[in-house]
Amino acid sequence: MTNLLQGIVEGNPLVQRRAIAKAITLLESTRTDHRAQGDELLTQLLPHSGKSFRLGISGVPGVGKSTFIETLGLYLLEQGHRVAVLTIDPSSSVTGGSILGDKTRMEQLSVQENAYIRPSPSGGNLGGVAEKTREAMLVCEAAGYDVVIVETVGVGQSETAAWGMTDMFVLLQLPNAGDDLQAIKKGVMELADLVVINKADIDPRAATRAQAQITSSLRLLAMHGTAEQHDGRHWLPQVIQISALEGTGVDEFWNTVLAYRQLQSGNGQLDKRRQRQAMTWMWERIEAGLKQAFRQQPVVQTLLPHIQQQVLQGQLAASTAARQLLQAYADSGTPPATAQPGSHGQA
Amino acid sequence: MTNLLQGIVEGNPLVQRRAIAKAITLLESTRTDHRAQGDELLTQLLPHSGKSFRLGISGVPGVGKSTFIETLGLYLLEQGHRVAVLTIDPSSSVTGGSILGDKTRMEQLSVQENAYIRPSPSGGNLGGVAEKTREAMLVCEAAGYDVVIVETVGVGQSETAAWGMTDMFVLLQLPNAGDDLQAIKKGVMELADLVVINKADIDPRAATRAQAQITSSLRLLAMHGTAEQHDGRHWLPQVIQISALEGTGVDEFWNTVLAYRQLQSGNGQLDKRRQRQAMTWMWERIEAGLKQAFRQQPVVQTLLPHIQQQVLQGQLAASTAARQLLQAYADSGTPPATAQPGSHGQA
């Protein structure tokens, strides 16, 4: 364990790359003893982590995320940064790997010594995939990567997961009518600290129209936001245009990121955001664990099919069914507290 | 218990009204023995319930919900219906009652023999309030009310709760620019089976513009919906104009509701929707109960402050903290199953 930690924190490039891969594999293991070792490693790594800037990048398939991230990554390497790219793709459990394989997608970036690209962990639901990604991020940070990019595939709830573990959330958009409405509908637009209109070179007039429209949408969305957002000391979401293919606008993009970082560090929002994220994360994992333990309990597994049937056939009220199952669950072990979801409980 | 049941199902108007009130009070009680009696009553009532049409009505404060519901209620009474109006207002726990008091709000409707108006249950979170409302709905149905209106106050997540217990969800809108964007942002627009532009008489041209705009938004929102929605055998959300104050458009509104009901009954969607709702409801209550039992557990209560502090100070990873707390919780009683939120669990 100490060797692994040392390899991650101090190793020469080759040793470090192997140590990172080994650590992530350990953290992704479902074996109980691995899990205990993984937790020990995490706790040891933690003082070395947290020093990167965590950048979430999202957008629907086809918006040009890979090209953008590769361009951005190479730009950052030139400036002396070390860049890690992690992907959240819950669908990767189906194919047993990320859709196109990230190494293939980012050919130029992946061969660079100071870039580390990790495809989405596979297997399980979004909560599990996001947990592994978050832990991999801590490993990369301990290894000295100072920019961690968390990319989402832009489907399902992966955006919310990426937003929940990054310092800044960027939404890539095409200059299409209706595209922004989809983002608003999915609740992704309101997560964005920065909206980037990609492929602006294809139709500059459409891009400018889209920029105006999204800016106006963001203002309307913020209308009911907190007053403190509008005092100039807090960040207001911005909209910029780029062309990842031609490599234009990456400068402006990164300057906007730096301006965000400076403002949000100065006013304490960055620290607050990370603390909120940690608490949310902890409770999400607790709830997932409670529900899993419940579903795996033999008494529950025996009763559930019959009770569900009764509910579906209208013989048992859903709330009564819930109380019966909770009672049986509590009776099966030592009831830590009567498991009654009363009206004063935490729902 | 049998008397209460009889009073609800068969009683003369006065007896029935008292029995309903007594049953709802019993169901809202947090005393354990009351809860057991309440569950028994619910199970007995269930065969007599479910025969009403359940109509959810939502809209931001000021849109004219009360006036609309009163007009609609009186219109339905004239047609021989019996109408119950229930309100979901999580904020009522603060004031100890619904914001304005429903009886005062719907003066004409509340004095009618065939109308039953119940303000929001008070106390507790949205989950608890919604549970009581859902149970009260079953009581009203058993008492022969054949139209149950579930009104929301249009703030917070009360819309989702109302949508989760009704056959049809109606969103009232003002003919204002940006109003529809707020509804899209909050995710309420996509829940709507019918959007009603109220107060259309004030500015008929604005109302017509709003109708066109919302219709176009609904089409865009449905673009990524399931293909089966577009085959004519399924309902597509509609937009109509009314003026509740002048009483115009109530006819058209109710005819639209009847058309929806006929289509969705015929294609089986209404039954499917109720079954899905019951399952969702059951699992929501189970999760709320599990979380409450966890939080009330003495070992958890002892450990939590220290562990939270460690997470906030960056000494403990959030996922490690979750595993530690789950383990302590499992060890405190008989662990029904190792409470490890692995990547294959139900998150």
Side-chain angles (χ1 to χ4, degrees), chain B residues 81-127:
Chain B
H81 292 287
R82 297 185 66 205
V83 180
V85 181
L86 309 172
T87 304
I88 298 183
D89 178 4
S91 67
S92 69
S93 58
V94 181
T95 56
S98 200
I99 294 173
L100 293 171
D102 292 271
K103 303 249 167 163
T104 323
R105 286 197 296 133
M106 300 179 199
E107 274 182 3
Q108 291 178 63
L109 189 60
S110 62
V111 294
Q112 304 292 320
E113 190 177 295
N114 285 319
Y116 184 83
I117 301 180
R118 176 97 190 171
S120 180
S122 64
N125 51 40
L126 178 60

Short mmCIF file of all heavy atoms in Angstrom, two decimals, chain B residues 81-127:
data_model
loop_
_atom_site.label_atom_id
_atom_site.label_comp_id
_atom_site.label_asym_id
_atom_site.label_seq_id
_atom_site.Cartn_x
_atom_site.Cartn_y
_atom_site.Cartn_z
N HIS B 81 -71.89 15.65 -10.93
CA HIS B 81 -70.71 15.04 -10.32
C HIS B 81 -70.60 15.40 -8.84
O HIS B 81 -71.20 16.37 -8.37
CB HIS B 81 -69.43 15.52 -11.04
CG HIS B 81 -69.32 15.01 -12.44
ND1 HIS B 81 -69.02 13.72 -12.74
CD2 HIS B 81 -69.47 15.65 -13.64
CE1 HIS B 81 -68.99 13.56 -14.05
NE2 HIS B 81 -69.27 14.71 -14.63
N ARG B 82 -69.83 14.60 -8.14
CA ARG B 82 -69.44 14.96 -6.77
C ARG B 82 -67.95 15.26 -6.79
O ARG B 82 -67.16 14.47 -7.31
CB ARG B 82 -69.76 13.82 -5.80
CG ARG B 82 -71.27 13.53 -5.72
CD ARG B 82 -71.56 12.48 -4.67
NE ARG B 82 -71.26 12.98 -3.33
CZ ARG B 82 -70.96 12.19 -2.30
NH1 ARG B 82 -70.90 10.87 -2.47
NH2 ARG B 82 -70.70 12.70 -1.11
N VAL B 83 -67.56 16.39 -6.24
CA VAL B 83 -66.20 16.90 -6.44
C VAL B 83 -65.45 17.08 -5.12
O VAL B 83 -65.96 17.73 -4.20
CB VAL B 83 -66.24 18.26 -7.18
CG1 VAL B 83 -64.82 18.81 -7.39
CG2 VAL B 83 -66.97 18.13 -8.50
N ALA B 84 -64.27 16.46 -5.02
CA ALA B 84 -63.39 16.69 -3.87
C ALA B 84 -62.17 17.49 -4.33
O ALA B 84 -61.62 17.25 -5.40
CB ALA B 84 -62.95 15.36 -3.28
N VAL B 85 -61.79 18.46 -3.53
CA VAL B 85 -60.61 19.28 -3.84
C VAL B 85 -59.60 19.12 -2.70
O VAL B 85 -59.88 19.45 -1.56
CB VAL B 85 -60.97 20.77 -4.01
CG1 VAL B 85 -59.72 21.58 -4.35
CG2 VAL B 85 -62.03 20.95 -5.08
N LEU B 86 -58.43 18.57 -3.04
CA LEU B 86 -57.36 18.40 -2.06
C LEU B 86 -56.17 19.27 -2.47
O LEU B 86 -55.96 19.50 -3.66
CB LEU B 86 -56.92 16.93 -2.00
CG LEU B 86 -58.06 15.91 -1.81
CD1 LEU B 86 -57.53 14.48 -1.96
CD2 LEU B 86 -58.71 16.09 -0.44
N THR B 87 -55.45 19.76 -1.50
CA THR B 87 -54.34 20.66 -1.80
C THR B 87 -53.03 20.10 -1.26
O THR B 87 -53.00 19.55 -0.17
CB THR B 87 -54.61 22.05 -1.17
OG1 THR B 87 -55.86 22.52 -1.64
CG2 THR B 87 -53.52 23.04 -1.55
N ILE B 88 -51.98 20.22 -2.07
CA ILE B 88 -50.63 19.87 -1.60
C ILE B 88 -49.85 21.15 -1.43
O ILE B 88 -49.55 21.84 -2.40
CB ILE B 88 -49.89 18.95 -2.60
CG1 ILE B 88 -50.64 17.64 -2.76
CG2 ILE B 88 -48.47 18.67 -2.11
CD1 ILE B 88 -49.93 16.66 -3.68
N ASP B 89 -49.55 21.48 -0.20
CA ASP B 89 -48.81 22.71 0.09
C ASP B 89 -47.82 22.44 1.21
O ASP B 89 -48.16 22.52 2.38
CB ASP B 89 -49.81 23.81 0.51
CG ASP B 89 -49.09 25.09 0.88
OD1 ASP B 89 -47.85 25.16 0.73
OD2 ASP B 89 -49.77 26.04 1.33
N PRO B 90 -46.59 22.08 0.84
CA PRO B 90 -45.59 21.75 1.88
C PRO B 90 -45.31 22.92 2.82
O PRO B 90 -44.88 22.71 3.94
CB PRO B 90 -44.34 21.40 1.07
CG PRO B 90 -44.79 21.20 -0.32
CD PRO B 90 -46.01 22.04 -0.50
N SER B 91 -45.58 24.14 2.35
CA SER B 91 -45.29 25.30 3.20
C SER B 91 -46.32 25.45 4.30
O SER B 91 -46.16 26.24 5.23
CB SER B 91 -45.26 26.58 2.35
OG SER B 91 -46.56 26.86 1.86
N SER B 92 -47.42 24.69 4.22
CA SER B 92 -48.48 24.84 5.20
C SER B 92 -48.03 24.42 6.59
O SER B 92 -48.65 24.74 7.58
CB SER B 92 -49.71 24.02 4.79
OG SER B 92 -49.43 22.64 4.89
N SER B 93 -46.90 23.67 6.66
CA SER B 93 -46.40 23.25 7.96
C SER B 93 -45.90 24.46 8.76
O SER B 93 -45.88 24.46 9.98
CB SER B 93 -45.28 22.23 7.79
OG SER B 93 -44.25 22.78 7.03
N VAL B 94 -45.50 25.48 8.01
CA VAL B 94 -44.98 26.67 8.69
C VAL B 94 -46.11 27.46 9.33
O VAL B 94 -46.06 27.85 10.49
CB VAL B 94 -44.22 27.57 7.68
CG1 VAL B 94 -43.65 28.79 8.37
CG2 VAL B 94 -43.12 26.77 7.00
N THR B 95 -47.16 27.67 8.55
CA THR B 95 -48.26 28.51 9.03
C THR B 95 -49.29 27.71 9.81
O THR B 95 -50.18 28.28 10.42
CB THR B 95 -48.97 29.18 7.85
OG1 THR B 95 -49.39 28.14 6.94
CG2 THR B 95 -48.04 30.12 7.11
N GLY B 96 -49.16 26.39 9.78
CA GLY B 96 -50.13 25.55 10.48
C GLY B 96 -51.43 25.44 9.73
O GLY B 96 -52.46 25.07 10.26
N GLY B 97 -51.41 25.75 8.46
CA GLY B 97 -52.62 25.65 7.64
C GLY B 97 -52.31 26.17 6.26
O GLY B 97 -51.24 26.72 6.02
N SER B 98 -53.22 26.02 5.34
CA SER B 98 -52.96 26.46 3.99
C SER B 98 -52.91 27.98 3.95
O SER B 98 -53.52 28.67 4.79
CB SER B 98 -54.04 25.94 3.06
OG SER B 98 -53.58 25.96 1.74
N ILE B 99 -52.18 28.48 2.97
CA ILE B 99 -51.86 29.91 2.93
C ILE B 99 -53.05 30.83 3.24
O ILE B 99 -53.01 31.64 4.15
CB ILE B 99 -51.23 30.31 1.57
CG1 ILE B 99 -49.87 29.63 1.43
CG2 ILE B 99 -51.08 31.81 1.46
CD1 ILE B 99 -49.24 29.80 0.06
N LEU B 100 -54.12 30.68 2.49
CA LEU B 100 -55.25 31.58 2.70
C LEU B 100 -56.45 30.87 3.34
O LEU B 100 -57.44 31.51 3.65
CB LEU B 100 -55.69 32.19 1.36
CG LEU B 100 -54.69 33.14 0.73
CD1 LEU B 100 -55.13 33.50 -0.68
CD2 LEU B 100 -54.54 34.38 1.59
N GLY B 101 -56.33 29.57 3.54
CA GLY B 101 -57.48 28.81 4.04
C GLY B 101 -58.41 28.54 2.88
O GLY B 101 -59.02 29.44 2.32
N ASP B 102 -58.53 27.26 2.49
CA ASP B 102 -59.24 26.95 1.26
C ASP B 102 -60.72 27.31 1.33
O ASP B 102 -61.32 27.65 0.34
CB ASP B 102 -59.09 25.46 0.95
CG ASP B 102 -57.67 25.15 0.59
OD1 ASP B 102 -57.36 25.24 -0.61
OD2 ASP B 102 -56.89 24.85 1.49
N LYS B 103 -61.28 27.21 2.53
CA LYS B 103 -62.71 27.50 2.66
C LYS B 103 -62.99 28.94 2.29
O LYS B 103 -63.96 29.26 1.64
CB LYS B 103 -63.15 27.24 4.11
CG LYS B 103 -62.86 25.82 4.57
CD LYS B 103 -64.11 25.01 4.76
CE LYS B 103 -63.72 23.56 4.91
NZ LYS B 103 -64.72 22.69 5.46
N THR B 104 -62.09 29.83 2.73
CA THR B 104 -62.26 31.23 2.40
C THR B 104 -62.08 31.44 0.90
O THR B 104 -62.78 32.23 0.28
CB THR B 104 -61.22 32.09 3.14
OG1 THR B 104 -61.01 31.52 4.42
CG2 THR B 104 -61.67 33.52 3.27
N ARG B 105 -61.13 30.70 0.34
CA ARG B 105 -60.80 30.92 -1.06
C ARG B 105 -61.93 30.50 -1.99
O ARG B 105 -62.20 31.15 -2.98
CB ARG B 105 -59.53 30.15 -1.42
CG ARG B 105 -58.29 30.81 -0.86
CD ARG B 105 -57.06 30.29 -1.55
NE ARG B 105 -56.89 28.88 -1.29
CZ ARG B 105 -56.62 27.99 -2.21
NH1 ARG B 105 -56.54 28.34 -3.47
NH2 ARG B 105 -56.45 26.72 -1.91
N MET B 106 -62.57 29.35 -1.66
CA MET B 106 -63.61 28.86 -2.57
C MET B 106 -64.97 28.92 -1.87
O MET B 106 -65.58 27.89 -1.58
CB MET B 106 -63.26 27.43 -3.00
CG MET B 106 -61.93 27.36 -3.73
SD MET B 106 -61.50 25.68 -4.22
CE MET B 106 -59.74 25.84 -4.49
N GLU B 107 -65.43 30.15 -1.65
CA GLU B 107 -66.63 30.39 -0.86
C GLU B 107 -67.87 29.68 -1.39
O GLU B 107 -68.61 29.07 -0.64
CB GLU B 107 -66.92 31.89 -0.80
CG GLU B 107 -66.19 32.61 0.31
CD GLU B 107 -66.54 34.09 0.35
OE1 GLU B 107 -67.40 34.52 -0.44
OE2 GLU B 107 -65.96 34.79 1.19
N GLN B 108 -68.08 29.80 -2.70
CA GLN B 108 -69.31 29.24 -3.27
C GLN B 108 -69.26 27.71 -3.32
O GLN B 108 -70.24 27.04 -3.03
CB GLN B 108 -69.52 29.77 -4.69
CG GLN B 108 -69.85 31.23 -4.74
CD GLN B 108 -70.01 31.69 -6.17
OE1 GLN B 108 -70.88 31.24 -6.91
NE2 GLN B 108 -69.13 32.59 -6.58
N LEU B 109 -68.09 27.18 -3.65
CA LEU B 109 -67.97 25.73 -3.80
C LEU B 109 -68.05 25.04 -2.44
O LEU B 109 -68.66 23.97 -2.31
CB LEU B 109 -66.64 25.40 -4.49
CG LEU B 109 -66.45 23.94 -4.92
CD1 LEU B 109 -67.52 23.50 -5.90
CD2 LEU B 109 -65.06 23.74 -5.53
N SER B 110 -67.47 25.68 -1.43
CA SER B 110 -67.32 25.00 -0.14
C SER B 110 -68.66 24.76 0.55
O SER B 110 -68.77 23.88 1.40
CB SER B 110 -66.39 25.81 0.77
OG SER B 110 -66.94 27.08 1.01
N VAL B 111 -69.70 25.52 0.20
CA VAL B 111 -70.99 25.34 0.88
C VAL B 111 -71.88 24.31 0.17
O VAL B 111 -72.98 23.99 0.64
CB VAL B 111 -71.76 26.68 1.00
CG1 VAL B 111 -71.01 27.63 1.91
CG2 VAL B 111 -71.98 27.30 -0.38
N GLN B 112 -71.42 23.79 -0.95
CA GLN B 112 -72.21 22.82 -1.71
C GLN B 112 -72.15 21.44 -1.04
O GLN B 112 -71.09 21.01 -0.61
CB GLN B 112 -71.69 22.69 -3.14
CG GLN B 112 -71.65 23.99 -3.91
CD GLN B 112 -73.03 24.54 -4.20
OE1 GLN B 112 -73.95 23.78 -4.53
NE2 GLN B 112 -73.20 25.85 -4.07
N GLU B 113 -73.30 20.76 -1.03
CA GLU B 113 -73.38 19.46 -0.38
C GLU B 113 -72.49 18.44 -1.08
O GLU B 113 -71.89 17.59 -0.43
CB GLU B 113 -74.83 18.96 -0.38
CG GLU B 113 -75.03 17.73 0.49
CD GLU B 113 -76.50 17.30 0.52
OE1 GLU B 113 -77.32 18.08 1.05
OE2 GLU B 113 -76.81 16.21 0.02
N ASN B 114 -72.39 18.50 -2.39
CA ASN B 114 -71.63 17.50 -3.14
C ASN B 114 -70.19 17.89 -3.42
O ASN B 114 -69.54 17.34 -4.32
CB ASN B 114 -72.34 17.15 -4.45
CG ASN B 114 -73.55 16.25 -4.17
OD1 ASN B 114 -73.46 15.34 -3.35
ND2 ASN B 114 -74.66 16.53 -4.83
N ALA B 115 -69.70 18.87 -2.66
CA ALA B 115 -68.29 19.25 -2.79
C ALA B 115 -67.61 19.05 -1.45
O ALA B 115 -68.20 19.29 -0.39
CB ALA B 115 -68.18 20.70 -3.22
N TYR B 116 -66.39 18.56 -1.50
CA TYR B 116 -65.62 18.38 -0.28
C TYR B 116 -64.25 19.03 -0.49
O TYR B 116 -63.51 18.66 -1.39
CB TYR B 116 -65.43 16.89 0.05
CG TYR B 116 -64.72 16.65 1.36
CD1 TYR B 116 -65.42 16.68 2.56
CD2 TYR B 116 -63.35 16.44 1.39
CE1 TYR B 116 -64.79 16.49 3.77
CE2 TYR B 116 -62.69 16.25 2.61
CZ TYR B 116 -63.42 16.27 3.79
OH TYR B 116 -62.78 16.09 4.99
N ILE B 117 -63.96 20.04 0.31
CA ILE B 117 -62.69 20.76 0.16
C ILE B 117 -61.83 20.52 1.39
O ILE B 117 -62.28 20.74 2.51
CB ILE B 117 -62.93 22.26 -0.04
CG1 ILE B 117 -63.80 22.47 -1.29
CG2 ILE B 117 -61.61 23.01 -0.19
CD1 ILE B 117 -64.10 23.92 -1.58
N ARG B 118 -60.62 20.05 1.16
CA ARG B 118 -59.73 19.76 2.29
C ARG B 118 -58.41 20.51 2.09
O ARG B 118 -57.75 20.34 1.07
CB ARG B 118 -59.46 18.26 2.34
CG ARG B 118 -58.47 17.81 3.39
CD ARG B 118 -59.17 17.31 4.64
NE ARG B 118 -58.20 17.10 5.73
CZ ARG B 118 -58.56 16.83 6.97
NH1 ARG B 118 -59.85 16.77 7.31
NH2 ARG B 118 -57.66 16.65 7.90
N PRO B 119 -58.05 21.36 3.05
CA PRO B 119 -56.78 22.06 2.90
C PRO B 119 -55.61 21.09 3.01
O PRO B 119 -55.79 19.93 3.37
CB PRO B 119 -56.78 23.06 4.06
CG PRO B 119 -57.71 22.50 5.06
CD PRO B 119 -58.74 21.70 4.29
N SER B 120 -54.43 21.56 2.68
CA SER B 120 -53.24 20.71 2.72
C SER B 120 -53.00 20.22 4.14
O SER B 120 -53.17 20.96 5.10
CB SER B 120 -52.03 21.50 2.25
OG SER B 120 -50.87 20.69 2.30
N PRO B 121 -52.64 18.93 4.28
CA PRO B 121 -52.19 18.49 5.60
C PRO B 121 -50.96 19.30 5.98
O PRO B 121 -50.16 19.65 5.12
CB PRO B 121 -51.85 17.02 5.39
CG PRO B 121 -51.63 16.86 3.94
CD PRO B 121 -52.49 17.88 3.28
N SER B 122 -50.83 19.59 7.25
CA SER B 122 -49.68 20.40 7.66
C SER B 122 -48.66 19.51 8.34
O SER B 122 -48.93 18.38 8.70
CB SER B 122 -50.13 21.50 8.60
OG SER B 122 -50.65 20.93 9.78
N GLY B 123 -47.48 20.01 8.50
CA GLY B 123 -46.46 19.28 9.25
C GLY B 123 -45.65 18.39 8.36
O GLY B 123 -46.16 17.60 7.59
N GLY B 124 -44.35 18.53 8.44
CA GLY B 124 -43.47 17.59 7.75
C GLY B 124 -43.06 18.03 6.37
O GLY B 124 -43.44 19.10 5.88
N ASN B 125 -42.32 17.19 5.74
CA ASN B 125 -41.77 17.46 4.43
C ASN B 125 -42.78 17.12 3.33
O ASN B 125 -43.86 16.62 3.59
CB ASN B 125 -40.49 16.65 4.23
CG ASN B 125 -40.73 15.19 4.56
OD1 ASN B 125 -41.78 14.64 4.22
ND2 ASN B 125 -39.79 14.55 5.23
N LEU B 126 -42.39 17.37 2.09
CA LEU B 126 -43.27 17.12 0.96
C LEU B 126 -43.70 15.65 0.88
O LEU B 126 -44.86 15.35 0.62
CB LEU B 126 -42.58 17.54 -0.34
CG LEU B 126 -43.38 17.27 -1.62
CD1 LEU B 126 -44.70 18.02 -1.59
CD2 LEU B 126 -42.58 17.66 -2.84
N GLY B 127 -42.76 14.74 1.14
CA GLY B 127 -43.09 13.31 1.08
C GLY B 127 -44.21 12.95 2.03
O GLY B 127 -45.14 12.22 1.68
#
